[in-house]
Amino acid sequence: MSGIFQLLFPFFGLIAAGFIAARIIRQPEAGLVWLNVFIVYAALPALFFKLVSNTPFDQLARLDFISVDLMATYCVFLALFAAGYFWKRNGVRESTIQAFAGSYGNIGYMGPGLALLALGEAAAVPVALIVCFENALHFIVAPMVMAVAEGGTVRKSALARQVLAKALLHPFIIATALGFAVAATGAPVPEAVDRLVDYLAQAAAPCALFAMGVTLALRPVKRVPAEIGYIVPAKLVLHPLLVYAFMMIHGGFDPVWVEAAVLLAALPTATNVFVIAQQYGIWYERASATILITTVCSAATLAVLLALIDGSVIPL
């Protein structure tokens, strides 16, 4: 258990450092913009490029793996959407944000660093595939559902262009595509470029986690949603259980790939859920509360999951 603590402490310690710094220094959220730009447009893309470009190309073509992962994730999404819409009598847009809160994990900021430390370099490819494909699909699903809920006021052709541009031109996707190209062709990366990529990649996890802590501090909990009673267990328990079950039913995946998929599914709600909610002006205060609560609770649930993986309690 001490090993699990030593593994998780730096991650949640960095989040706590950002949270405390924001509480003490009390700068406006606008001051976080350039750090987020660095993370999203430089550090994390460099990390994904490095992970993918150094991987044999045949391992990158496992569409069966990413398909199983996405099916499990969207089963959780649909279950939470149904709970919000039919049980709680919320509207389509509100139910959509709630569904994302229980199925969209913090895979970009927390996933790569935690998975690589816990599982080693063998987890690099499944992590890169999950981060890129899940983010791309979330970027597509959110605006499409919101546009339908608004009554089709946006022209379908314009919506399709906006959605595809946002999904395909995202820095994570572009960096991964470049990594695929290098892995497929075997083209050498110039030493100077390789060093720059290394420097940026090393900064990805610390900067992302610190920024996450600052963000949580600057968005205080004002309204705790009633739906939190089932969203939190859905995100931290149901989601990883479903991913594990789907992976086992399909079979044929490397144990490390399964562990990586389950670990990423167990991560707390992504800060992007607040961004989506704020963009559409719906459920954003409660989305912020959900992010904070799932992040705090995940310290315990991730410790349990890592202990199960480390002790080989989970049969793979």
Side-chain angles (χ1 to χ4, degrees):
M1 185 57 71
S2 62
I4 304 300
F5 175 78
Q6 292 172 11
L7 178 65
L8 289 178
F9 181 77
F11 281 82
F12 287 97
L14 280 166
I15 295 173
F19 187 94
I20 293 169
R23 288 292 190 181
I24 294 173
I25 299 174
R26 295 190 178 277
Q27 292 294 315
E29 190 171 357
L32 193 62
V33 170
W34 283 110
L35 179 58
N36 281 325
V37 168
F38 172 75
I39 294 165
V40 173
Y41 287 87
L44 284 173
L47 177 61
F48 296 141
F49 172 80
K50 180 182 178 181
L51 296 179
V52 174
S53 63
N54 293 330
T55 301
F57 184 72
D58 59 325
Q59 294 186 35
L60 299 174
R62 295 298 304 268
L63 293 180
D64 56 339
F65 171 79
I66 196 62
S67 298
V68 170
D69 176 80
L70 289 172
M71 281 192 294
T73 295
Y74 274 86
C75 279
V76 178
F77 179 93
L78 291 173
L80 290 175
F81 181 90
Y85 188 75
F86 294 107
W87 179 33
K88 292 295 184 178
R89 302 296 181 182
N90 295 316
V92 171
R93 298 196 308 158
E94 195 169 8
S95 299
T96 299
I97 300 300
Q98 293 168 13
F100 275 122
S103 60
Y104 190 173
N106 208 329
I107 52 178
Y109 278 22
M110 295 181 69
L114 181 58
L116 292 176
L117 273 181
L119 306 174
E121 289 292 329
V125 179
V127 168
L129 290 175
I130 290 171
V131 170
C132 293
F133 278 91
E134 279 207 12
N135 273 320
L137 191 55
H138 295 330
F139 296 154
I140 291 171
V141 170
M144 286 182 63
V145 174
M146 293 301 184
V148 171
E150 289 169 359
T153 56
V154 180
R155 290 179 55 192
K156 292 181 179 179
S157 59
L159 175 63
R161 286 195 299 271
Q162 292 170 12
V163 168
L164 288 175
K166 186 171 184 179
L168 298 180
L169 298 180
H170 192 279
F172 294 178
I173 311 302
I174 294 174
T176 303
L178 290 174
F180 268 85
V182 170
T185 61
V189 179
E191 184 177 351
V193 174
D194 192 48
R195 286 187 178 182
L196 175 61
V197 169
D198 279 342
Y199 290 152
L200 291 171
Q202 290 168 16
C207 291
L209 294 171
F210 185 87
M212 181 180 169
V214 173
T215 302
L216 292 174
L218 295 178
R219 296 170 186 166
V221 175
K222 295 180 179 178
R223 300 179 64 186
V224 177
E227 295 84 358
I228 203 77
Y230 60 83
I231 290 177
V232 172
K235 181 69 209 72
L236 301 180
V237 180
L238 177 61
H239 192 187
L241 281 176
L242 272 187
V243 168
Y244 174 71
F246 278 43
M247 293 280 172
M248 290 296 98
I249 291 170
H250 183 279
F253 298 125
D254 186 288
V256 175
W257 284 47
V258 178
E259 291 169 354
V262 173
L263 184 57
L264 264 62
L267 294 175
T269 303
T271 52
N272 274 346
V273 175
F274 172 83
V275 175
I276 295 170
Q278 191 174 47
Q279 178 182 353
Y280 293 101
I282 187 77
W283 217 72
Y284 53 88
E285 288 184 353
R286 285 168 286 185
S288 179
T290 304
I291 294 165
L292 178 59
I293 293 169
T294 55
T295 300
V296 172
C297 292
S298 69
T301 56
L302 285 172
V304 172
L305 176 59
L306 288 170
L308 292 173
I309 292 174
D310 185 59
S312 300
V313 177
I314 300 177
L316 297 172

mmCIF file of all heavy atoms in Angstrom, residues 162-182:
data_model
loop_
_atom_site.group_PDB
_atom_site.id
_atom_site.type_symbol
_atom_site.label_atom_id
_atom_site.label_comp_id
_atom_site.label_asym_id
_atom_site.label_seq_id
_atom_site.Cartn_x
_atom_site.Cartn_y
_atom_site.Cartn_z
ATOM 1 N N GLN A 162 -18.177 22.616 -38.561
ATOM 2 C CA GLN A 162 -17.673 23.047 -37.254
ATOM 3 C C GLN A 162 -17.230 21.857 -36.412
ATOM 4 O O GLN A 162 -16.174 21.879 -35.776
ATOM 5 C CB GLN A 162 -18.750 23.838 -36.505
ATOM 6 C CG GLN A 162 -19.082 25.183 -37.137
ATOM 7 C CD GLN A 162 -20.310 25.818 -36.497
ATOM 8 O OE1 GLN A 162 -20.783 25.371 -35.462
ATOM 9 N NE2 GLN A 162 -20.832 26.866 -37.130
ATOM 10 N N VAL A 163 -18.058 20.804 -36.401
ATOM 11 C CA VAL A 163 -17.764 19.625 -35.583
ATOM 12 C C VAL A 163 -16.501 18.926 -36.077
ATOM 13 O O VAL A 163 -15.607 18.584 -35.292
ATOM 14 C CB VAL A 163 -18.962 18.657 -35.596
ATOM 15 C CG1 VAL A 163 -18.574 17.314 -34.996
ATOM 16 C CG2 VAL A 163 -20.129 19.252 -34.829
ATOM 17 N N LEU A 164 -16.402 18.714 -37.401
ATOM 18 C CA LEU A 164 -15.239 18.030 -37.955
ATOM 19 C C LEU A 164 -13.966 18.837 -37.749
ATOM 20 O O LEU A 164 -12.911 18.282 -37.431
ATOM 21 C CB LEU A 164 -15.454 17.750 -39.446
ATOM 22 C CG LEU A 164 -16.470 16.655 -39.774
ATOM 23 C CD1 LEU A 164 -16.682 16.544 -41.276
ATOM 24 C CD2 LEU A 164 -16.023 15.307 -39.201
ATOM 25 N N ALA A 165 -14.072 20.150 -37.918
ATOM 26 C CA ALA A 165 -12.890 20.996 -37.725
ATOM 27 C C ALA A 165 -12.416 20.929 -36.281
ATOM 28 O O ALA A 165 -11.214 20.802 -36.011
ATOM 29 C CB ALA A 165 -13.211 22.439 -38.117
ATOM 30 N N LYS A 166 -13.352 20.986 -35.340
ATOM 31 C CA LYS A 166 -12.974 20.957 -33.928
ATOM 32 C C LYS A 166 -12.361 19.623 -33.547
ATOM 33 O O LYS A 166 -11.406 19.558 -32.766
ATOM 34 C CB LYS A 166 -14.200 21.233 -33.061
ATOM 35 C CG LYS A 166 -13.864 21.376 -31.577
ATOM 36 C CD LYS A 166 -15.056 21.852 -30.778
ATOM 37 C CE LYS A 166 -14.684 22.074 -29.315
ATOM 38 N NZ LYS A 166 -15.822 22.570 -28.514
ATOM 39 N N ALA A 167 -12.908 18.535 -34.117
ATOM 40 C CA ALA A 167 -12.405 17.205 -33.772
ATOM 41 C C ALA A 167 -11.075 16.910 -34.449
ATOM 42 O O ALA A 167 -10.118 16.467 -33.810
ATOM 43 C CB ALA A 167 -13.438 16.146 -34.155
ATOM 44 N N LEU A 168 -10.992 17.166 -35.753
ATOM 45 C CA LEU A 168 -9.812 16.759 -36.517
ATOM 46 C C LEU A 168 -8.633 17.709 -36.354
ATOM 47 O O LEU A 168 -7.482 17.295 -36.535
ATOM 48 C CB LEU A 168 -10.179 16.637 -38.000
ATOM 49 C CG LEU A 168 -11.240 15.580 -38.322
ATOM 50 C CD1 LEU A 168 -11.526 15.558 -39.820
ATOM 51 C CD2 LEU A 168 -10.816 14.192 -37.850
ATOM 52 N N LEU A 169 -8.897 18.973 -36.022
ATOM 53 C CA LEU A 169 -7.814 19.944 -35.897
ATOM 54 C C LEU A 169 -7.382 20.173 -34.451
ATOM 55 O O LEU A 169 -6.594 21.070 -34.178
ATOM 56 C CB LEU A 169 -8.231 21.280 -36.531
ATOM 57 C CG LEU A 169 -8.521 21.232 -38.034
ATOM 58 C CD1 LEU A 169 -8.930 22.599 -38.559
ATOM 59 C CD2 LEU A 169 -7.315 20.702 -38.808
ATOM 60 N N HIS A 170 -7.886 19.349 -33.547
ATOM 61 C CA HIS A 170 -7.454 19.483 -32.157
ATOM 62 C C HIS A 170 -5.979 19.087 -32.051
ATOM 63 O O HIS A 170 -5.534 18.133 -32.712
ATOM 64 C CB HIS A 170 -8.302 18.588 -31.251
ATOM 65 C CG HIS A 170 -8.121 18.879 -29.797
ATOM 66 N ND1 HIS A 170 -7.055 18.390 -29.067
ATOM 67 C CD2 HIS A 170 -8.852 19.614 -28.916
ATOM 68 C CE1 HIS A 170 -7.141 18.809 -27.819
ATOM 69 N NE2 HIS A 170 -8.227 19.553 -27.700
ATOM 70 N N PRO A 171 -5.190 19.797 -31.249
ATOM 71 C CA PRO A 171 -3.749 19.490 -31.149
ATOM 72 C C PRO A 171 -3.452 18.043 -30.770
ATOM 73 O O PRO A 171 -2.479 17.463 -31.260
ATOM 74 C CB PRO A 171 -3.270 20.450 -30.048
ATOM 75 C CG PRO A 171 -4.242 21.570 -30.069
ATOM 76 C CD PRO A 171 -5.554 20.987 -30.455
ATOM 77 N N PHE A 172 -4.279 17.419 -29.902
ATOM 78 C CA PHE A 172 -4.062 16.023 -29.526
ATOM 79 C C PHE A 172 -4.153 15.128 -30.763
ATOM 80 O O PHE A 172 -3.348 14.205 -30.953
ATOM 81 C CB PHE A 172 -5.109 15.551 -28.509
ATOM 82 C CG PHE A 172 -5.023 16.222 -27.167
ATOM 83 C CD1 PHE A 172 -5.937 15.922 -26.173
ATOM 84 C CD2 PHE A 172 -4.033 17.154 -26.883
ATOM 85 C CE1 PHE A 172 -5.875 16.527 -24.929
ATOM 86 C CE2 PHE A 172 -3.961 17.783 -25.642
ATOM 87 C CZ PHE A 172 -4.893 17.463 -24.668
ATOM 88 N N ILE A 173 -5.154 15.390 -31.590
ATOM 89 C CA ILE A 173 -5.399 14.554 -32.765
ATOM 90 C C ILE A 173 -4.290 14.746 -33.798
ATOM 91 O O ILE A 173 -3.783 13.772 -34.379
ATOM 92 C CB ILE A 173 -6.773 14.887 -33.397
ATOM 93 C CG1 ILE A 173 -7.867 14.902 -32.329
ATOM 94 C CG2 ILE A 173 -7.094 13.907 -34.511
ATOM 95 C CD1 ILE A 173 -8.022 13.616 -31.550
ATOM 96 N N ILE A 174 -3.908 15.997 -34.024
ATOM 97 C CA ILE A 174 -2.846 16.266 -35.003
ATOM 98 C C ILE A 174 -1.527 15.630 -34.565
ATOM 99 O O ILE A 174 -0.827 14.994 -35.374
ATOM 100 C CB ILE A 174 -2.670 17.790 -35.191
ATOM 101 C CG1 ILE A 174 -3.925 18.386 -35.843
ATOM 102 C CG2 ILE A 174 -1.434 18.093 -36.036
ATOM 103 C CD1 ILE A 174 -3.894 19.897 -35.934
ATOM 104 N N ALA A 175 -1.190 15.780 -33.290
ATOM 105 C CA ALA A 175 0.062 15.206 -32.791
ATOM 106 C C ALA A 175 0.059 13.691 -32.915
ATOM 107 O O ALA A 175 1.073 13.073 -33.296
ATOM 108 C CB ALA A 175 0.271 15.616 -31.334
ATOM 109 N N THR A 176 -1.084 13.073 -32.611
ATOM 110 C CA THR A 176 -1.176 11.615 -32.722
ATOM 111 C C THR A 176 -1.083 11.174 -34.178
ATOM 112 O O THR A 176 -0.428 10.168 -34.491
ATOM 113 C CB THR A 176 -2.489 11.115 -32.100
ATOM 114 O OG1 THR A 176 -2.546 11.552 -30.741
ATOM 115 C CG2 THR A 176 -2.564 9.602 -32.127
ATOM 116 N N ALA A 177 -1.717 11.928 -35.072
ATOM 117 C CA ALA A 177 -1.641 11.595 -36.499
ATOM 118 C C ALA A 177 -0.202 11.681 -37.006
ATOM 119 O O ALA A 177 0.255 10.821 -37.778
ATOM 120 C CB ALA A 177 -2.542 12.533 -37.299
ATOM 121 N N LEU A 178 0.530 12.693 -36.568
ATOM 122 C CA LEU A 178 1.947 12.804 -36.950
ATOM 123 C C LEU A 178 2.747 11.636 -36.385
ATOM 124 O O LEU A 178 3.640 11.094 -37.048
ATOM 125 C CB LEU A 178 2.521 14.128 -36.446
ATOM 126 C CG LEU A 178 2.023 15.391 -37.140
ATOM 127 C CD1 LEU A 178 2.557 16.644 -36.439
ATOM 128 C CD2 LEU A 178 2.447 15.391 -38.615
ATOM 129 N N GLY A 179 2.410 11.233 -35.165
ATOM 130 C CA GLY A 179 3.073 10.071 -34.571
ATOM 131 C C GLY A 179 2.792 8.808 -35.360
ATOM 132 O O GLY A 179 3.689 7.985 -35.578
ATOM 133 N N PHE A 180 1.532 8.639 -35.805
ATOM 134 C CA PHE A 180 1.182 7.504 -36.660
ATOM 135 C C PHE A 180 2.021 7.518 -37.935
ATOM 136 O O PHE A 180 2.523 6.476 -38.377
ATOM 137 C CB PHE A 180 -0.306 7.569 -37.031
ATOM 138 C CG PHE A 180 -1.205 6.811 -36.109
ATOM 139 C CD1 PHE A 180 -1.685 7.384 -34.942
ATOM 140 C CD2 PHE A 180 -1.599 5.524 -36.399
ATOM 141 C CE1 PHE A 180 -2.522 6.700 -34.082
ATOM 142 C CE2 PHE A 180 -2.436 4.815 -35.555
ATOM 143 C CZ PHE A 180 -2.899 5.405 -34.393
ATOM 144 N N ALA A 181 2.158 8.692 -38.537
ATOM 145 C CA ALA A 181 2.910 8.801 -39.798
ATOM 146 C C ALA A 181 4.377 8.408 -39.607
ATOM 147 O O ALA A 181 4.948 7.684 -40.431
ATOM 148 C CB ALA A 181 2.801 10.232 -40.330
ATOM 149 N N VAL A 182 4.974 8.868 -38.512
ATOM 150 C CA VAL A 182 6.376 8.531 -38.245
ATOM 151 C C VAL A 182 6.516 7.036 -37.976
ATOM 152 O O VAL A 182 7.441 6.377 -38.470
ATOM 153 C CB VAL A 182 6.902 9.349 -37.050
ATOM 154 C CG1 VAL A 182 8.278 8.842 -36.609
ATOM 155 C CG2 VAL A 182 6.981 10.824 -37.410
#
